[in-house]
Amino acid sequence: MAVTIKDVAKIANVAPSTVSRVIANSPRISERTKEKVREAMKELGYHPNFNARSLANKSTKTLGLIMPNSATKTFQNPFFPEVIRGISTKAHQLEYGLYLSTGQSDDEIFEEVQDMVQGKRVDGIILLYSKVNDKVMNYLYNEKFPFSVIGRPYDVEMKEITYVNNDNFKAAKTVTEYLLLLGHERIAFIGGNLETVVTLDHMEGYKKALTNAGIEPKKEYVVFHEELQEGGQEAVIDLMSLSERPTALIVADDIMTFGVMRMLSEMEVRVPDDISIISFNNVMISELSSPPMTTVDINIFSLGYEAANCLIEKILNPETKPKHVIIPHKMIKRQTCQRIVKRLTKQ
Amino acid sequence: MAVTIKDVAKIANVAPSTVSRVIANSPRISERTKEKVREAMKELGYHPNFNARSLANKSTKTLGLIMPNSATKTFQNPFFPEVIRGISTKAHQLEYGLYLSTGQSDDEIFEEVQDMVQGKRVDGIILLYSKVNDKVMNYLYNEKFPFSVIGRPYDVEMKEITYVNNDNFKAAKTVTEYLLLLGHERIAFIGGNLETVVTLDHMEGYKKALTNAGIEPKKEYVVFHEELQEGGQEAVIDLMSLSERPTALIVADDIMTFGVMRMLSEMEVRVPDDISIISFNNVMISELSSPPMTTVDINIFSLGYEAANCLIEKILNPETKPKHVIIPHKMIKRQTCQRIVKRLTKQ
DNA sequence: TTGAAAGCGCTAACAC
DNA sequence: GTGTTAGCGCTTTCAA
């Protein structure tokens, strides 16, 4: 049997409650007894039992992380390790642990979240994705359970939710404007999952920039694909089959861009000579594409770090008003965008 | 206050212990009362309290995952999401939860592991890395705490440890032989962290194949770099500065290969015409390099899945003998290897 | 087949 | 400052 608080108490010649107070570093305990108790703890190699503590405390000091359902390969995006690294860093500073969801389907995940919440397994929850009409988010909201979202809630009345996001609308708009300035007019947009809020925001920004420039967004120039790698490749096929090929591509995700570039090179379409590309995220490997891709750095680490920060704040002080943190983004110009060269364009 | 077993008991008109038995689905309870109790549970929206349960039970139904210290960027390797997906899948099947380490340094991680173990926060632990002389592994071993390792222990006397690994020696040997057969003789090896067991195994396999072929392994042809991206790039600089440039490269990790290829293309060294490359892992994006890389698929998902499997087995039955699972690997030929073309080689 | 009661290891209210 | 004691919500003997 493991060593308990009682064992320590006996050795140190004090009451169990005193030991408990020493653990909590209560100021009402004399330095002398603290010393005595700490010695006893060290001597016995005492470590507090988490479950007992949580039970008595009603606090687990752990955060639940909810991933998108891992049945899809979404999870393989290097985006996730990086957000988690951000979350982990903050959590670790404040001595919180991390508990991971394992559900494969939306229903399973919902079940899991319920268990976590009602079973008091975690003190708060971070949603690592944000999609429209999310059952989990609604549940958490109704239960008034502390949580924060990476991305943003889609439904307007939900402004009472704490979230950490980029200004994805603006980012997409800027990026489109940039291509416009480079002389491109036939700009296509390759988006991810249409149920994802970020995709929607990107698309809005893209369209806004076009209409501002007096260009009517064309339906054929907007395609969506769920799967990251194959998606990028299929999108290219769709787009390159058009009679009027786009001269520039805005791609929702760097990994997708790898697929896009792969397929393009197979078709012997040169980047950026024949077509310009710009994408989002700036994950670690982005700079390693050939040529290195121009992309928008969304500061993934900070997204995670802040999400953890806001959440813990809310846990510690339930009165905290909902916060909306916008992490700044930054265009990273590398080598996949080029001023358009006018040549045998039919018209 | 949340709904407890007592509330359910009251509504169902039974004793709390009966409710507990229904939860455990004890065969000694009549179907009639089971029904009654289940109805009451549903009516109240009852979910058992994890901490109370773990405390009474001495079982948490959760596995601890220990990552390499995330201070380094190691963690960004898409390898990790994929192992975790494997672990997660198995864990989920058997209704285990996942608890993540957050430590940034080796010392912090060691502390954390101690807390997890002694604090009964998890029932078992999976080490997601394996390095030489690992303090954590030694601790776990001495405590006789259930754990499994992805990779393998380095010290021989530790054959009593359960691990899931590839035959990395063989893989590296085969790969080297393959290049030899393609006519290459100046084959370089770009390894990762030298404290990592897999790196060591790779190197042994590489050397073995060379000496078997009567080629003396050259010191200058073996370089190591910790950082994945920059590492690959620096390695290329080192190697390409040699008076006798290698004609083929064996790279420890696909992500590193991206860096390698990037730098090569900057130097206008063509792959595979001027130099062949083969690497390890076959992570998701590997097929998206330009040209797509030849690599060894190590079945990352299975590594995780089996590690979880073995661990849970051991938790459920502590008498289980240590297991050593070898996950098969498979060379995926794509477009970065070519038969060598003899030309103005100085000699 | 079910109930009563003790106890898992810790915290916190209340005493002194 | 420190001890006593009553739980936290569940499981598990032991009785019936």
Side-chain angles (χ1 to χ4, degrees), chain A residues 229-250:
Chain A
Q229 321 110 286
E230 306 86 346
Q233 311 209 30
E234 289 177 19
V236 169
I237 299 177
D238 293 349
L239 258 12
M240 289 300 144
S241 309
L242 296 175
S243 59
E244 279 212 326
R245 288 183 171 188
T247 63
L249 262 29
I250 297 175

Side-chain angles (χ1 to χ4, degrees), chain A residues 159-177:
Chain A
K159 285 291 177 187
E160 307 196 20
I161 284 171
T162 292
Y163 63 78
V164 179
N165 200 12
N166 303 104
D167 190 342
N168 292 312
F169 171 84
K170 175 118 177 291
K173 182 160 161 283
T174 306
V175 144
T176 311
E177 288 163 350

Side-chain angles (χ1 to χ4, degrees), chain B residues 31-322:
Chain B
E31 273 310 320
R32 244 186 88 250
T33 30
K34 276 190 185 173
E35 259 330 300
K36 212 170 47 178
V37 170
R38 291 206 177 107
E39 241 165 60
M41 298 201 308
K42 190 154 284 174
E43 188 186 328
L44 296 177
Y46 170 79
H47 285 252
N49 180 310
F50 269 111
N51 302 301
R53 204 168 221 217
S54 301
L55 185 57
N57 247 350
K58 280 134 178 30
S59 141
T60 60
K61 288 283 248 171
T62 111
L63 310 180
L65 308 191
I66 312 300
M67 321 273 195
N69 74 60
S70 63
T72 77
K73 289 200 184 159
T74 329
F75 186 53
Q76 302 210 32
N77 199 314
F79 175 87
F80 288 104
E82 187 61 0
V83 226
I84 292 180
R85 210 170 58 89
I87 294 173
S88 172
T89 302
K90 188 71 209 181
H92 189 257
Q93 282 170 14
L94 274 41
E95 303 196 277
Y96 274 76
L98 260 28
Y99 187 85
L100 236 60
S101 74
T102 64
Q104 318 266 91
S105 71
D106 286 358
D107 283 345
E108 282 180 0
I109 291 177
F110 184 65
E111 271 289 329
E112 240 184 318
V113 170
Q114 278 193 123
D115 282 351
M116 281 193 202
V117 171
Q118 313 263 6
K120 310 241 169 300
R121 201 167 187 144
V122 299
D123 292 346
I125 280 182
I126 302 181
L127 298 183
L128 265 55
Y129 61 91
S130 44
K131 57 177 193 178
V132 298
N133 233 325
D134 188 21
K135 206 172 156 195
V136 169
M137 194 159 79
N138 278 291
Y139 170 76
L140 257 16
Y141 179 64
N142 289 328
E143 291 288 314
K144 301 194 185 323
F145 193 78
F147 75 104
S148 67
V149 175
I150 290 183
R152 69 174 183 88
Y154 188 65
D155 311 299
V156 203
E157 75 268 22
M158 293 225 170
K159 285 289 178 188
E160 308 197 20
I161 284 171
T162 291
Y163 63 78
V164 180
N165 199 11
N166 302 105
D167 189 342
N168 292 313
F169 171 84
K170 175 118 177 290
K173 181 159 161 284
T174 306
V175 143
T176 312
E177 286 163 350
Y178 173 66
L179 291 170
L180 252 10
L181 285 174
L182 289 181
H184 294 276
E185 292 183 344
R186 303 211 299 272
I187 304 171
F189 174 83
I190 304 179
N193 187 326
L194 244 183
E195 302 206 310
T196 308
V197 179
V198 53
T199 303
L200 269 14
D201 288 344
H202 279 160
M203 191 174 53
E204 289 308 320
Y206 158 78
K207 285 187 176 163
K208 182 71 176 171
L210 287 186
T211 49
N212 278 357
I215 298 178
E216 177 70 14
K218 272 188 167 182
K219 246 193 164 169
E220 319 87 81
Y221 281 178
V222 179
V223 297
F224 301 96
H225 280 275
E226 286 214 20
E227 296 297 338
L228 283 178
Q229 321 109 285
E230 304 88 345
Q233 310 208 32
E234 289 177 19
V236 169
I237 299 178
D238 293 349
L239 258 12
M240 289 299 144
S241 308
L242 296 175
S243 58
E244 278 212 326
R245 289 184 170 186
T247 63
L249 263 28
I250 296 174
V251 187
D253 182 285
D254 290 347
I255 300 302
M256 228 174 183
T257 300
F258 272 96
V260 166
M261 287 174 70
R262 176 85 274 283
M263 186 54 83
L264 250 16
S265 112
E266 222 159 84
M267 294 175 159
E268 305 199 330
V269 177
R270 290 161 310 162
V271 177
D273 303 280
D274 300 327
I275 197 163
S276 288
I277 302 181
I278 189 162
S279 73
F280 297 93
N281 286 11
N282 196 30
V283 293
M284 171 196 77
I285 26 166
S286 300
E287 58 173 323
L288 300 181
S289 63
S290 307
M293 66 179 79
T294 293
T295 186
V296 177
D297 189 323
I298 60 169
N299 212 335
I300 305 175
F301 182 90
S302 296
L303 285 170
Y305 189 90
E306 279 305 324
N309 195 24
C310 294
L311 177 55
I312 294 176
E313 221 169 68
K314 207 169 178 182
I315 291 171
L316 263 24
N317 177 8
E319 302 310 312
T320 315
K321 289 265 162 288

Side-chain angles (χ1 to χ4, degrees), chain B residues 15 17-18 21 28-30 33 56 58:
Chain B
S17 50
T18 303
R21 292 189 184 102
R28 319 187 317 168
I29 298 288
S30 74
T33 30
K58 280 134 178 30

